[in-house]
Amino acid sequence: MNAASTPPAVADWVSRFGAAMASPAQADWKTLFGEECYWRDLIALTWNVITLEGRDAIAAMVETQAAAIAAAGFAPDDPALPMTDEAQGWFTFSTATARCRGHVQLRDGLAYILLTATVELIGHEEAGGSRRPDGIEHRAEKGRRTWLDRREQTARTLGYSQQPWCLIVGGGQNGLMLAARLKRLGVPALVIDALDKPGDGWRARYRSLYLHDPVFLDHFPYLPFPDHWPLYTSKDKIADWLEVYARAMEIDFWGGTLCTAARYDESKREWEVTVTRGGQTLKLRPKQLVLATGLSGARYLPKIPGAQDFRGRQYHSADHGSGEGMAGKRCVVIGSNNSAHDICVDLWEHDAQVTMIQRSPTMVVRADTMREVSKNIYYAQPGADIDLADLMFAANPFRPRTAFEKGFTDYLRSVDADFYSRLAKSGFNLWHGEDETGFFMAYYRRAGGYYIDVGGSELIASGQVPVKQGEIAQITADGVRMADGSFLPADVIVYATGYRPMSEWVGQLISPEVEKKVGPCWGLGSGTAGDPGPWEGELRNMWKPTAQQGLWFQGGNLMQARFHSLHLALQLKARMEGLQTPVYRSG
Amino acid sequence: MNAASTPPAVADWVSRFGAAMASPAQADWKTLFGEECYWRDLIALTWNVITLEGRDAIAAMVETQAAAIAAAGFAPDDPALPMTDEAQGWFTFSTATARCRGHVQLRDGLAYILLTATVELIGHEEAGGSRRPDGIEHRAEKGRRTWLDRREQTARTLGYSQQPWCLIVGGGQNGLMLAARLKRLGVPALVIDALDKPGDGWRARYRSLYLHDPVFLDHFPYLPFPDHWPLYTSKDKIADWLEVYARAMEIDFWGGTLCTAARYDESKREWEVTVTRGGQTLKLRPKQLVLATGLSGARYLPKIPGAQDFRGRQYHSADHGSGEGMAGKRCVVIGSNNSAHDICVDLWEHDAQVTMIQRSPTMVVRADTMREVSKNIYYAQPGADIDLADLMFAANPFRPRTAFEKGFTDYLRSVDADFYSRLAKSGFNLWHGEDETGFFMAYYRRAGGYYIDVGGSELIASGQVPVKQGEIAQITADGVRMADGSFLPADVIVYATGYRPMSEWVGQLISPEVEKKVGPCWGLGSGTAGDPGPWEGELRNMWKPTAQQGLWFQGGNLMQARFHSLHLALQLKARMEGLQTPVYRSG
């Protein structure tokens, strides 16, 4: 926009980078990238979600991709944007197929971190803004159809005489946001969910659950929450929003529909997906299959000797509704992550006698502290451009971010030192991760292992919810015997023991062979517990091509669902339109 | 904001006006207002919706109101706003109770048009933006209740053990927008509607109906349409939006609830409203009663001799669903306004033989021309501030607007001269109003008398839908005999003959005495057909105190519903909070 006032170092780098991209054979990457450098690409250069680490990886990628991608027109973006100063700035460019944005962070004039991201496909833009449809032509015409006629026809035919080009299994926030983007891109998609209505997944969770992220991180694409929306949203309110969103965005949604099997037909290059709907078994034949079934697979229930003999009530945390009616009951909650804590609080609030069994050390971060921190981020500013905010957040690849999170964890430990000290003294087994990089990294590495404290830690610190450490030896008719020989009498046992990995859905729905071929989902390959290497540098298999043609994964929290649904939607649209999408895979 | 670059003439006038408001006894109005001048006030100075015409009227109002209102702090607003130049500009001020905005248009340094409008009540602001609620406190607490607990309790108790402070009869866009504003203001309100669900009023209308206004005029408060929303919205899509909106805004809505009677208890200063819901008769006791029942009252069916003998199908336009199944049928549509035309088009599209009976001259304006015109207005600009746009639109009181609309009508007549000429030649009785001020003024004066052409006029001009002029003498078993003796054979007669006035609801629900006391609703008192004088200068009884304590009217199109629901909501909130609300009435 106003290139004149772009910081000169940034303008110069962008110009030289553009020249290198135009003639990669002549490029001297040492003059563009520092010794330590990262290039994170979101489907712009690589048609993949990938971070290249180091000059060699970058040179190899550019050599492979440059000709086909034809990136050009590199120009500094508006210097009034945030994250613009003498050592960093935004730029725009285009490829053979797309309009893209980039951000570079310099150290001594050389790129330390580079982000490139596709924003829209040229000639296949979303039907918004100046491209909004007219809705109607102002003339009489025999046989023309109204909006309702078309919606009713789609309801009658989609999945029957008309096959969806894309089938999305799972109608939570991930499935719906992706479907909304596909709708605006004109990609025929169908969302199926075993539950009846959008939001029912949230409704089924325990009554006291609220979102842990503040509202400004949680917006859905195209339809931001009204500005009186509470800072933290109840699970039932977000459930209603999912329903509202599906309706407002005209998402084609089949509730009460169970996906039982899926098989890829290599010759037809399409899926055959078996579903049951209203007692009827149907075969759907989409070209693309997206699993948006959530980060978790089936419930994980550890096999504990004697569990079958327990005379009280025992259930998985997923079946915990509310603590109502639990007054006076002796409740043992096995587990020490978010759900375990929230259920302990709920039971305590309903006058139960609660004990938590902690089997491994747990990270804790105070929601109130995170709230104070988050007040200062760009997302929270009035009038923030959410799309830009997402790019800003993305301009921090996982390797440098790991170091950043170590520092952030140190910061939290210092501001909440008294809190952590009290909690540790109470017998709670507190840690900050095996490399002390805290809960954010634990989320990316294994989607668990932490508690965002919304009140439970005070109950533990004050002894109102005692914590028992160690493994369980046996469950008896009336309680839990620990490996150290101690005994916890119990009327109720809650297994807050988590879920199986999401990749197991692939084995169940498709085949063990495809599950094995695709490999694990989520995790960075950090080599820490629950996240074996090798280092991947991005979340495995998420929002990008997998080893199985036509199979995609869409998952994560609301922020990730919003941001990465764009990249997945654009990849799907490009394939539907037959655009060249040369996928670059590293390693 | 940047007072330095406010045009000097505006800054000077605002400063002098502020001084006059501080010491009205010393004010010389001749030095502030021109000979011809208008001050439109939207509840800021007058707690009324009123336009004062001329210096004497202005002086009289200020003399009466100034002390109680205590307007102060007049300061030029951001000079970057639209409608800011050497002869006009925005300013802000406050009163004893409210934050307000103003706009002045100068002629030779004197105010020609002044707008003042309340934006929010001091200390009773809406719970949005930085005032958003937290939603939850991050600590364990016995007996605390979730969002769902509270919603369920409201559903159980509101209207039973807890009385709504405000009852809104009618759950169309008017009732819902007002309810949304009251919700954010913390005013307990209940919306009741005879139909089951929000939007059912739109769903019941004829299938081919689309909004006549483009999307950028139609936004609801707080939750703008996504930007892929079509330019013109189908009635079924807007119906869905009403349902979505009521859910998203947590509006307390009773569908399937008929209001049968209402009586104001002067001693208790509350209403007793009789409603039937689910077969049960209930008495509601709100302090305030808002009729949002639409601009129209009951269907108007003219008494035509012989109608009972007609052997075909005859029905009011409100009962027209679709032309499906009408192929080959001889259809006579009585009427020549919007509904009549739309139904003629629908019948023609379904291969019926359609004749329109036109009994009086009709204004026609081409939707496509309006669309071109509207592209340039501020509302249509990307990123337009809708609240500001509404104020800009309001800064044009009805007397000067009448002259403006005459000019605008002349403009439309010149750009569409060929169209109007063809239409008139076809036998259609075309006019532009008795004073040639066109369809906008007809809307304000009598909410009818025109057709916004979305295709019907071409059918008429080309003779595909013949038009028969004149009055009907008699309906026979098989057709319609006109006063001129001619006969139209008919299988179907559609009465697009309009509705009774909305004020009749008052007589029906409350009493003929109150109907008489309150007088007509809508209309400006222009002294033209359907809008008898005396001149009122604002829409009668709309969004402002009526002669019946505690009775209010909320109505109009989407733009008006959005804008004026703010003023009505603020008046209600002020009364609930016991603020001083001295109402100024002119004349």
Side-chain angles (χ1 to χ4, degrees):
Chain A
M1 321 239 175
N2 185 0
S5 51
T6 298
V10 173
D12 171 64
W13 189 90
V14 169
S15 160
R16 291 188 294 114
F17 180 63
M21 294 301 288
S23 308
Q26 278 75 56
D28 180 0
W29 299 108
K30 286 196 299 300
T31 65
L32 283 165
F33 287 87
E35 185 100 31
E36 183 188 354
C37 62
Y38 305 92
W39 181 348
R40 186 175 202 198
D41 183 59
L42 304 172
I43 72 167
L45 274 288
T46 62
W47 285 100
N48 204 343
V49 175
I50 197 170
T51 296
L52 305 158
E53 304 192 353
R55 290 173 186 149
D56 290 350
I58 288 168
M61 184 278 280
V62 175
E63 188 181 347
T64 309
Q65 298 293 101
I69 298 296
F74 289 83
D77 205 342
D78 184 355
L81 292 174
M83 284 178 72
T84 304
D85 57 35
E86 288 306 319
Q88 61 179 345
W90 297 91
F91 59 93
T92 58
F93 65 102
S94 63
T95 68
T97 50
R99 290 182 196 91
C100 306
R101 299 182 82 162
H103 184 266
V104 64
Q105 298 169 54
L106 304 174
R107 287 185 173 182
D108 301 326
L110 300 175
Y112 166 59
I113 291 175
L114 175 63
L115 172 74
T116 50
T118 290
V119 173
E120 63 181 1
L121 301 175
I122 295 166
H124 303 284
E125 296 82 1
E126 294 189 9
S130 62
R131 294 188 179 88
R132 68 164 82 242
D134 280 356
I136 190 174
E137 282 182 75
H138 290 143
R139 60 190 170 84
E141 186 187 350
K142 299 201 180 201
R144 73 173 160 170
R145 294 150 68 229
T146 66
W147 174 85
L148 185 62
D149 292 333
R150 291 191 298 271
R151 290 297 294 152
E152 288 177 346
Q153 182 178 15
T154 299
R156 273 195 312 272
T157 59
L158 188 67
Y160 298 94
S161 56
Q162 294 291 326
Q163 287 302 318
W165 195 82
C166 176
L167 181 70
I168 301 171
V169 180
Q173 59 268 18
N174 270 286
L176 295 181
M177 290 192 205
L178 178 63
R181 293 197 184 274
L182 292 175
K183 175 70 77 165
R184 282 175 52 124
L185 285 164
V187 176
L190 177 63
V191 180
I192 64 172
D193 199 291
L195 302 175
D196 283 342
K197 295 190 310 295
D200 281 355
W202 285 103
R203 291 191 184 94
R205 298 202 63 192
Y206 50 90
R207 197 169 177 99
S208 60
L209 179 65
Y210 279 69
L211 296 188
H212 289 120
D213 281 336
V215 61
F216 40 77
L217 300 178
D218 304 331
H219 289 294
F220 285 47
Y222 317 124
L223 193 69
F225 299 120
D227 82 343
H228 63 274
W229 207 261
L231 193 62
Y232 297 98
T233 306
S234 147
K235 57 110 184 169
D236 292 290
K237 190 169 166 68
I238 204 76
D240 280 5
W241 185 255
L242 260 63
E243 217 176 326
V244 155
Y245 190 74
R247 186 79 172 271
M249 304 306 288
E250 297 180 25
I251 290 170
D252 298 299
F253 182 93
W254 285 4
T257 301
L258 203 65
C259 178
T260 56
R263 187 179 64 80
Y264 192 69
D265 185 326
E266 294 285 348
S267 63
K268 294 186 184 161
R269 299 172 76 83
E270 70 181 22
W271 291 90
E272 182 186 84
V273 183
T274 309
V275 306
T276 59
R277 184 193 191 204
Q280 203 187 357
T281 297
L282 295 168
K283 303 274 188 199
L284 299 174
R285 300 184 194 283
K287 298 289 180 192
Q288 309 286 343
L289 177 65
V290 179
L291 296 187
T293 46
L295 293 191
S296 308
R299 296 160 188 192
Y300 173 66
L301 277 168
K303 290 205 189 310
I304 302 177
Q308 71 284 356
D309 301 327
F310 184 61
R311 278 196 301 243
R313 200 176 145 209
Q314 52 184 334
Y315 57 86
H316 189 267
S317 59
D319 290 324
H320 181 79
S322 135
E324 223 172 290
M326 296 288 206
K329 291 225 175 1
R330 295 164 303 178
C331 301
V332 170
V333 176
I334 306 173
S336 54
N337 291 347
N338 269 328
S339 294
H341 276 84
D342 284 353
I343 290 168
C344 284
V345 169
D346 186 40
L347 291 168
W348 176 87
E349 288 183 339
H350 287 87
D351 296 317
Q353 294 174 37
V354 194
T355 303
M356 172 186 279
I357 294 183
Q358 184 179 24
R359 298 161 307 155
S360 56
T362 306
M363 283 171 255
V364 177
V365 59
R366 293 185 65 233
D368 282 348
T369 306
M370 291 305 296
R371 174 188 170 162
E372 288 309 304
V373 169
S374 71
K375 276 183 183 167
N376 302 315
I377 65 177
Y378 174 71
Y379 281 105
Q381 307 318 308
D385 171 346
I386 298 293
D387 294 333
L388 179 70
D390 283 339
L391 283 174
M392 290 166 65
F393 190 79
N396 197 359
F398 285 103
R399 177 95 69 187
R401 179 140 184 220
T402 307
F404 173 86
E405 292 297 342
K406 170 80 172 72
F408 182 60
T409 302
D410 290 345
Y411 167 78
L412 294 178
R413 291 169 72 174
S414 77
V415 296
D416 287 329
D418 290 349
F419 165 82
Y420 287 122
S421 159
R422 278 188 74 215
L423 187 58
K425 273 183 202 149
S426 73
F428 189 85
N429 188 354
L430 180 73
W431 77 339
H432 302 280
E434 63 189 271
D435 53 357
E436 306 204 318
T437 53
F439 85 106
F440 268 123
M441 294 317 299
Y443 172 67
Y444 295 119
R445 290 166 172 178
R446 58 193 187 103
Y450 53 87
Y451 172 49
I452 299 173
D453 173 34
V454 293
S457 294
E458 177 56 34
L459 294 184
I460 289 169
S462 63
Q464 293 177 86
V465 170
V467 179
K468 178 71 196 172
Q469 298 295 337
E471 287 302 322
I472 298 166
Q474 193 191 0
I475 292 177
T476 69
D478 48 10
V480 176
R481 184 164 315 281
M482 303 296 292
D484 66 5
S486 60
F487 183 73
L488 298 172
D491 304 306
V492 175
I493 300 173
V494 182
Y495 296 84
T497 43
Y499 297 84
R500 309 281 315 163
M502 67 192 287
S503 57
E504 287 192 1
W505 288 119
V506 179
Q508 261 183 51
L509 293 180
I510 307 172
S511 71
E513 293 71 33
V514 172
E515 179 184 353
K516 192 170 169 214
K517 177 168 78 171
V518 168
C521 294
W522 207 258
L524 304 170
S526 63
T528 58
D531 181 30
W535 177 247
E536 175 94 7
E538 292 284 347
L539 289 165
R540 294 192 197 88
N541 280 315
M542 299 307 298
W543 318 293
K544 59 183 175 184
T546 67
Q548 171 59 54
Q549 178 145 32
L551 179 67
W552 310 81
F553 294 90
Q554 165 75 30
N557 61 23
L558 290 164
M559 273 179 76
Q560 292 170 306
R562 174 184 63 238
F563 184 48
H564 290 297
S565 58
L566 170 65
H567 309 127
L568 180 46
L570 292 175
Q571 291 172 83
L572 293 167
K573 173 70 173 177
R575 281 161 177 81
M576 188 179 92
E577 298 296 342
L579 305 184
Q580 293 300 311
T581 57
V583 175
Y584 182 78
R585 289 183 163 87
S586 58
Chain B
M1 323 231 178
N2 186 0
S5 51
T6 298
V10 173
D12 171 63
W13 188 90
V14 169
S15 159
R16 290 188 297 113
F17 179 64
M21 295 300 288
S23 308
Q26 278 77 54
D28 180 359
W29 299 109
K30 287 195 299 298
T31 65
L32 284 165
F33 287 89
E35 185 103 32
E36 183 188 356
C37 63
Y38 305 91
W39 181 348
R40 186 176 202 197
D41 183 59
L42 304 172
I43 72 167
L45 273 289
T46 62
W47 286 101
N48 204 345
V49 175
I50 197 170
T51 295
L52 306 158
E53 304 192 353
R55 289 172 189 152
D56 291 350
I58 288 169
M61 184 278 280
V62 174
E63 188 182 346
T64 308
Q65 298 294 101
I69 298 297
F74 290 82
D77 205 342
D78 185 353
L81 293 173
M83 285 178 71
T84 304
D85 57 34
E86 288 305 320
Q88 61 180 344
W90 297 90
F91 58 93
T92 57
F93 64 102
S94 63
T95 67
T97 51
R99 291 183 195 90
C100 306
R101 298 182 83 162
H103 185 266
V104 65
Q105 299 170 54
L106 303 174
R107 288 185 171 180
D108 301 327
L110 299 175
Y112 167 58
I113 290 174
L114 174 63
L115 172 74
T116 49
T118 290
V119 173
E120 64 182 359
L121 301 176
I122 296 166
H124 303 285
E125 296 82 0
E126 294 189 7
S130 62
R131 292 189 182 87
R132 72 165 78 241
D134 280 357
I136 191 174
E137 282 182 74
H138 290 143
R139 60 190 170 85
E141 185 186 350
K142 299 202 180 200
R144 71 174 165 172
R145 293 149 67 228
T146 66
W147 175 85
L148 184 62
D149 292 332
R150 290 190 298 270
R151 291 295 297 152
E152 288 178 345
Q153 182 178 18
T154 300
R156 272 195 313 274
T157 60
L158 188 68
Y160 297 93
S161 56
Q162 294 290 326
Q163 288 302 318
W165 196 81
C166 177
L167 180 70
I168 301 171
V169 180
Q173 59 270 20
N174 271 285
L176 295 181
M177 290 191 205
L178 177 63
R181 293 197 185 272
L182 291 175
K183 175 70 80 169
R184 280 173 55 119
L185 285 164
V187 176
L190 176 64
V191 180
I192 63 173
D193 199 292
L195 303 175
D196 282 343
K197 294 191 309 295
D200 280 354
W202 285 103
R203 291 192 184 95
R205 299 202 63 190
Y206 50 90
R207 196 171 177 99
S208 60
L209 178 64
Y210 278 68
L211 296 188
H212 290 119
D213 282 335
V215 61
F216 39 79
L217 300 178
D218 304 332
H219 290 293
F220 285 47
Y222 318 125
L223 194 68
F225 300 120
D227 82 342
H228 62 273
W229 207 261
L231 194 61
Y232 297 99
T233 307
S234 147
K235 57 109 185 170
D236 292 292
K237 189 169 166 69
I238 205 75
D240 279 5
W241 184 254
L242 261 61
E243 217 176 328
V244 155
Y245 189 75
R247 187 79 173 271
M249 304 306 287
E250 299 180 24
I251 290 170
D252 298 298
F253 182 93
W254 285 4
T257 301
L258 203 65
C259 178
T260 55
R263 187 178 65 80
Y264 191 70
D265 185 326
E266 293 286 346
S267 63
K268 293 187 185 159
R269 300 172 75 85
E270 72 181 22
W271 291 91
E272 183 187 83
V273 184
T274 309
V275 307
T276 59
R277 185 192 191 201
Q280 201 187 359
T281 297
L282 295 167
K283 304 274 187 198
L284 299 174
R285 300 182 193 284
K287 297 292 181 190
Q288 308 286 342
L289 176 64
V290 178
L291 295 188
T293 46
L295 294 191
S296 310
R299 297 159 186 193
Y300 173 65
L301 277 168
K303 291 205 186 312
I304 302 177
Q308 71 283 357
D309 300 328
F310 183 61
R311 278 197 300 245
R313 198 177 146 209
Q314 52 183 334
Y315 57 87
H316 189 267
S317 58
D319 291 323
H320 181 79
S322 135
E324 221 173 292
M326 296 288 205
K329 291 225 175 359
R330 296 163 303 178
C331 302
V332 170
V333 176
I334 306 173
S336 54
N337 291 345
N338 269 328
S339 294
H341 276 86
D342 284 352
I343 290 168
C344 284
V345 169
D346 185 42
L347 291 168
W348 176 89
E349 288 182 339
H350 287 87
D351 296 317
Q353 296 173 37
V354 194
T355 303
M356 174 187 279
I357 295 183
Q358 185 179 25
R359 299 160 307 153
S360 56
T362 306
M363 286 170 254
V364 176
V365 59
R366 292 185 65 232
D368 281 350
T369 306
M370 291 304 297
R371 173 187 170 162
E372 288 309 304
V373 169
S374 72
K375 275 183 184 165
N376 301 315
I377 65 177
Y378 173 71
Y379 281 105
Q381 307 317 309
D385 171 347
I386 297 294
D387 293 333
L388 179 70
D390 283 340
L391 283 174
M392 290 167 65
F393 190 80
N396 198 359
F398 286 103
R399 177 95 68 186
R401 178 139 185 221
T402 307
F404 172 86
E405 293 296 343
K406 170 77 173 73
F408 182 60
T409 301
D410 290 346
Y411 167 78
L412 294 178
R413 290 169 73 174
S414 76
V415 296
D416 286 331
D418 291 349
F419 165 82
Y420 287 122
S421 160
R422 280 188 73 217
L423 187 58
K425 273 184 204 148
S426 74
F428 189 85
N429 187 355
L430 180 71
W431 76 339
H432 302 279
E434 63 189 90
D435 53 357
E436 306 204 318
T437 53
F439 84 107
F440 268 124
M441 293 318 298
Y443 172 66
Y444 296 119
R445 290 166 171 177
R446 56 193 188 104
Y450 54 85
Y451 171 48
I452 298 173
D453 174 33
V454 293
S457 294
E458 177 57 34
L459 294 184
I460 290 169
S462 63
Q464 294 177 86
V465 169
V467 178
K468 179 71 194 169
Q469 297 295 336
E471 286 302 321
I472 299 167
Q474 193 188 4
I475 293 177
T476 70
D478 48 10
V480 176
R481 183 162 318 278
M482 303 295 292
D484 66 5
S486 61
F487 183 74
L488 299 172
D491 304 307
V492 175
I493 301 174
V494 182
Y495 296 85
T497 43
Y499 298 83
R500 309 282 314 165
M502 68 191 287
S503 56
E504 287 192 359
W505 288 119
V506 179
Q508 262 183 50
L509 293 180
I510 308 172
S511 71
E513 293 71 36
V514 172
E515 180 184 353
K516 195 170 166 213
K517 177 168 76 172
V518 168
C521 294
W522 208 259
L524 303 169
S526 63
T528 58
D531 180 31
W535 176 247
E536 175 93 6
E538 291 285 346
L539 290 165
R540 292 191 198 91
N541 280 317
M542 300 305 299
W543 318 294
K544 60 183 173 183
T546 67
Q548 171 59 55
Q549 176 143 32
L551 179 68
W552 309 81
F553 296 90
Q554 165 74 31
N557 61 23
L558 290 163
M559 272 179 79
Q560 292 171 304
R562 174 183 63 238
F563 184 49
H564 290 298
S565 58
L566 171 64
H567 309 126
L568 181 46
L570 292 175
Q571 290 173 83
L572 293 168
K573 172 70 172 178
R575 280 160 178 81
M576 189 178 90
E577 298 295 343
L579 305 183
Q580 292 300 311
T581 57
V583 176
Y584 183 78
R585 291 181 162 90
S586 59

